[in-house]
Amino acid sequence: MRLSILDQSPISSNQTPQDALNWSMKLAQAGEELGYTRYWIAEHHDLSGLACPAPEVMLSYIGANTNRIRIGSGAVLLPHYRPYKVAELFNTLATLFPNRIDLGIGRAPGGSAEAMTALSDNFIKNVGNFPALLRDLLHFLNDDFPTDTEYSKLSASPIPENPPVPWLLGTGKKSALLAAENGLPYTFGHFMSDHDGAAIIREYIDTFKPRREGQTPQVIVTVNVICGETTEKAEEVAASFLIWSLQMDKGEGHQGIPSINEAEQYKLTEKEIEKLDKVRQSMIIGNPHEVKQKLFELKTKYQADEMMINTITYLPEDRIRSYELIAKEVFSEGKHLKL
C-alpha cells in the first residue's frame, strides 16, 4: 500500500509559526526517510493554529531540504488566483525539483469571509467559473492552448522537462465528476466530508475520460490518523486534536493546539461529547496494527490507489512518531528515526 502525508502545518500552544513551519520541513524529511510516496502541504488563510498560507513558498524550502519524495500542494485554492500565475509558480518548482512536483488544486476559500475578500474581489464568481479556470490552468501546464485562443502564444515559463502533475481535490460529487471529465487524478477528503465517498469514487472511476492514451483514473483518499505504541497512548495523544477541533468549531482555539493536560482538563457538555464522537468516527486512532487494518479497510472501500494521512498532535515529536509507527507496520523495512 502506498502511503503519503498531508501536512496542515499545525501550531501548538507552545510554538511560534516559525517553529511550526520548521517542523513541517522535518516532517517531509522524515516522510522521505520512512518511504512515504509524497508530502503535500495545505493552504489556509488567517486560521488560528495553522501556519501555511503559501504552499509554493514552503515547497521551495522543503524541496531544497529533501531529495526524492514527491512534494506538492494540498491544495492551491484556485479561485483566489489567476491560472497563469499558478502555472508559472509550479513550473518553476518543477524546474528546480524535476519529476517531484504535484499541483493539488481546490476550490474552497481556506479561511474567513474577510480573508476571502482580501485575497480576491471575485471569489464567489470564480468558484462558479472554476471549471474554466481549471481548463486554462491545464493548458498552461501542458503548454498547449489551441492556436485560435487568446493565450495561444503565451507560455508559463520556465517550461520544465517534467511538468507538475495536477490533482483535483474535493469532498463531493461535483469535484469528482470534474476530475473525471478532465482526465485528472482525484483526491477525496474523507477527513472532512459527510458524503458517501465510496459512491463518489465509483462514479469518478466509471466516468473517467483520459486526456492522453493509456491514462487511467487514480485515487488518493485522505484521512485523519493518530497512531501510538498502544491504543491507550494513541487515545491520549489524540485528545489535543479532538479538543482543538471542538474549540475551532466554537470560534476558539486561538492559542493553537492545546497540550494533552489542557485537553484532559477541558469540561465537555453532552452536546460537545456527541460532536467529538462524530469527529472520531471519521478518524483512525489506535496502535500500529489497528491503524494498518483500518487503512486497508478504507483503501478497499474506496478502491483507492493510495492513502494520504493527516496527523495533528500537540508535540511535533508525537506527530512524526505516529507516521513512523505506521510506516514500520505497513512497509516491510520501516526505519527508526532519531529526532
Side-chain angles (χ1 to χ4, degrees):
M1 176 166 59
R2 293 204 304 271
L3 296 178
S4 289
I5 295 170
L6 175 65
D7 181 12
Q8 294 183 311
S9 202
I11 310 171
S12 295
S13 59
N14 67 338
Q15 287 183 323
T16 66
Q18 183 182 25
D19 293 331
L21 293 173
N22 281 327
W23 274 106
S24 285
M25 186 269 288
K26 293 177 183 177
L27 175 60
Q29 290 177 321
E32 179 171 85
E33 186 175 341
L34 291 166
Y36 284 82
T37 299
R38 67 190 88 233
Y39 165 96
W40 286 359
I41 189 165
E43 174 183 334
H44 294 96
H45 299 281
D46 193 35
L47 284 181
S48 300
L50 301 177
C52 182
E56 63 277 10
V57 174
M58 280 301 294
L59 291 174
S60 63
Y61 176 51
I62 288 165
N65 285 279
T66 53
N67 298 298
R68 303 176 307 278
I69 191 169
R70 293 195 66 87
I71 57 175
S73 55
V76 163
L77 305 177
L78 186 58
H80 290 312
Y81 313 112
R82 296 291 293 170
Y84 182 57
K85 183 59 178 177
V86 175
E88 285 185 321
L89 289 169
F90 278 79
N91 275 354
T92 302
L93 288 167
T95 301
L96 287 168
F97 312 113
N99 206 29
R100 294 182 59 200
I101 300 298
D102 293 329
L103 170 51
I105 306 156
R107 75 173 99 201
S112 65
E114 292 81 5
M116 179 179 72
T117 303
L119 283 161
S120 170
D121 292 333
N122 298 305
F123 180 82
I124 300 300
K125 178 182 175 182
N126 289 341
V127 168
N129 198 35
F130 186 75
L133 293 174
L134 178 63
R135 284 193 293 272
D136 281 354
L137 176 57
L138 295 176
H139 280 307
F140 281 126
L141 292 175
N142 295 322
D143 200 26
D144 66 353
F145 268 99
T147 55
D148 59 345
T149 57
E150 180 181 5
Y151 301 129
S152 61
K153 297 180 181 179
L154 181 63
S155 292
S157 300
I159 304 298
E161 185 175 342
N162 297 291
V165 177
W167 288 76
L168 191 61
L169 279 65
T171 58
K173 181 177 177 179
K174 184 183 292 186
S175 57
L177 292 178
L178 185 60
E181 178 187 338
N182 287 276
L184 290 174
Y186 182 61
T187 301
F188 180 76
H190 170 86
F191 73 117
M192 55 189 299
S193 178
D194 293 326
H195 299 295
D196 182 354
I200 289 169
I201 296 301
R202 282 196 300 273
E203 192 157 2
Y204 160 74
I205 292 171
D206 291 343
T207 60
F208 183 84
K209 298 176 183 177
R211 282 183 295 144
R212 293 182 296 275
E213 186 178 348
Q215 197 175 23
T216 58
Q218 295 181 67
V219 175
I220 293 177
V221 172
T222 306
V223 59
N224 282 333
V225 181
I226 293 178
C227 185
E229 286 86 353
T230 64
T231 305
E232 292 73 23
K233 176 64 175 177
E235 295 282 357
E236 179 184 277
V237 170
S240 293
F241 170 73
L242 290 167
I243 294 302
W244 179 69
S245 67
L246 186 63
Q247 290 173 328
M248 292 295 285
D249 241 15
K250 296 166 64 177
E252 301 172 0
H254 303 301
Q255 300 305 311
I257 318 302
S259 68
I260 293 172
N261 185 53
E262 290 169 332
E264 289 175 343
Q265 292 180 6
Y266 191 90
K267 303 299 182 185
L268 293 166
T269 66
E270 288 297 322
K271 189 173 182 180
E272 288 172 337
I273 291 172
E274 290 177 9
K275 282 187 176 180
L276 286 188
D277 285 342
K278 186 175 181 181
V279 172
R280 291 174 63 88
Q281 288 172 16
S282 67
M283 293 181 65
I284 297 175
I285 303 172
N287 64 48
H289 177 73
E290 292 167 336
V291 168
K292 176 182 178 181
Q293 183 177 21
K294 290 176 182 176
L295 282 172
F296 270 101
E297 288 173 1
L298 273 181
K299 180 180 183 298
T300 300
K301 175 182 176 181
Y302 280 107
Q303 304 178 62
D305 300 286
E306 187 174 322
M307 300 300 294
M308 181 170 277
I309 295 170
N310 179 48
T311 297
I312 293 179
T313 64
Y314 172 70
L315 291 176
E317 294 89 348
D318 284 339
R319 185 160 67 129
I320 292 180
R321 180 62 173 157
S322 178
Y323 284 106
E324 180 186 5
L325 290 168
I326 296 167
K328 290 174 71 175
E329 183 72 19
V330 174
F331 306 145
S332 59
E333 296 181 359
K335 297 178 181 178
H336 181 72
L337 296 174
K338 293 181 180 178
L339 300 178

